[in-house]
Amino acid sequence: MEKKYLIYVACGSAAASASLARRRLIDALNARNIDAEIEIHRITELPGQIEARKPDVVIIAAGQTPASIPENILVVKGIPLMTGFGIDKLVDDMLTFLKNKEG
Amino acid sequence: MDIFSADINCCTEEMLQIASKELYKKGYVKESFIKSVIDRERTNPTGLQVEDLINVAIPHTDIEHVIHPTIVIVKKNDQSFFTFHRLDEPDKVILVSVVFLLVVKEPSGYVDFLADLTGLFQESEFINLLLINPANLIGAKLVEKLSKYELTYKGDLINEKP
């Protein structure tokens, strides 16, 4: 069985922007038959949440990208998931990174 | 859900103040909404660059300040733009053509609506509509485009012309 990825989606208030990004990400992953666990967090809570569960990817839906994310975690700017433009490239690039990391 | 349009030729915070004060007078929001939406825009800005097609902004705040959900389409009618900080890079500013002031009561409804609204950005015809037309025509068009929300266009938010 393929590894189930853990993805964090973050914005300033863990509300609207991250929820929209999460919904579009789920649709894009489903279309590729990829199963992932996607959690929503506030940007300010990211350091603690990353420490707690070590996600594979952190997507910043809105707000300033924190500087303190460990290097082995992929940080993705989530603006395509907000505007709807460039979602396929974002998801394909992310999956390529994850597969290379495993291999 | 009611939808309004407004032509407000002011800077961003003054525009938000004028629009939300009017919403308060009309009973859509609590008085606390006015300060809250302005503060929220400062801490979590909502300027959205849609590729190189158009810049919009989607100011909003917590549902506790809302009485009845509504949307206000705001434009300037002198061909100038609003200055907003970017949602994805808050240090940077963009010039925004159209503001969608979102007054939402249900968080899930908010996400649905935002998904459908930004979904319309994929249509170049809709982008042109936003760029070229005054706020009232955009309001009327949204009623048709987002018919599943049963929007009712209520006209100009600010009845008294300056």
Side-chain angles (χ1 to χ4, degrees):
Chain A
M1 205 181 102
E2 284 197 36
K3 181 183 182 256
K4 185 174 182 176
Y5 299 118
L6 176 63
I7 301 172
Y8 285 179
V9 180
C11 70
S13 59
S17 300
S19 303
L20 175 60
R22 179 176 189 269
R23 175 184 300 191
R24 286 192 166 136
L25 181 63
I26 289 172
D27 289 346
L29 291 173
N30 282 347
R32 291 163 175 77
N33 284 318
I34 304 282
D35 192 18
E37 185 181 348
I38 306 174
E39 288 186 3
I40 288 179
H41 294 293
R42 283 173 196 265
I43 285 181
T44 51
E45 292 165 354
L46 274 179
Q49 293 293 343
I50 288 171
E51 188 64 32
R53 291 202 61 198
K54 309 256 183 303
D56 300 289
V57 182
V58 173
I59 296 179
I60 308 295
Q64 195 75 53
T65 304
S68 60
I69 298 177
E71 270 180 29
N72 59 335
I73 295 171
L74 177 67
V75 181
V76 177
K77 285 180 173 290
I79 200 76
L81 296 166
M82 298 297 299
T83 64
F85 286 87
I87 295 177
D88 283 339
K89 183 177 187 312
L90 179 148
V91 174
D92 289 337
D93 288 354
M94 181 181 85
L95 293 173
T96 303
F97 172 90
L98 291 172
K99 287 197 178 105
N100 287 342
K101 197 173 125 189
E102 282 167 29
Chain B
M1 183 161 66
D2 294 342
I3 176 168
F4 292 93
S5 60
D7 303 322
I8 305 176
N9 297 345
C10 296
C11 70
T12 300
E13 290 200 353
E14 204 181 339
M15 174 274 290
L16 288 174
Q17 172 126 22
I18 291 169
S20 43
K21 213 174 246 178
E22 201 59 36
L23 288 171
Y24 167 60
K25 276 195 228 161
K26 288 182 158 56
Y28 287 88
V29 300
K30 298 176 191 169
E31 194 170 11
S32 59
F33 181 92
I34 304 167
K35 183 177 183 302
S36 175
V37 76
I38 292 168
D39 287 350
R40 175 71 169 246
E41 191 59 41
R42 283 183 197 167
T43 53
N44 295 309
T46 67
L48 189 60
Q49 204 167 16
V50 184
E51 297 295 286
D52 54 0
L53 302 171
I54 190 172
N55 297 335
V56 302
I58 45 170
H60 57 273
T61 191
D62 298 319
I63 53 176
E64 68 199 59
H65 306 289
V66 175
I67 300 168
H68 299 296
T70 181
I71 304 153
V72 186
I73 318 288
V74 188
K75 277 189 96 165
K76 295 195 187 196
N77 62 10
D78 61 359
Q79 309 291 321
S80 67
F81 303 97
F82 295 106
T83 304
F84 274 80
H85 286 262
R86 269 170 64 170
L87 175 133
D88 53 333
E89 296 193 44
D91 294 344
K92 295 185 181 160
V93 294
I94 50 173
L95 297 177
V96 160
S97 310
V98 191
V99 177
F100 300 90
L101 176 57
L102 302 176
V103 182
V104 182
K105 226 174 138 54
E106 302 288 338
S108 64
Y110 177 85
V111 178
D112 287 337
F113 186 82
L114 201 54
D116 289 331
L117 179 67
T118 54
L120 290 176
F121 297 157
Q122 315 301 313
E123 301 173 17
S124 58
E125 202 181 308
F126 185 72
I127 297 278
N128 283 336
L129 174 97
L130 294 180
L131 288 170
I132 294 164
N133 287 289
N136 58 352
L137 291 183
I138 297 169
K141 192 72 182 176
L142 272 181
V143 171
E144 181 189 310
K145 284 276 184 189
L146 299 172
S147 57
K148 77 172 183 195
Y149 296 95
E150 299 183 1
L151 301 173
T152 308
Y153 178 55
K154 306 283 276 186
D156 250 297
L157 179 68
I158 299 146
N159 302 317
E160 303 88 14
K161 291 282 170 204

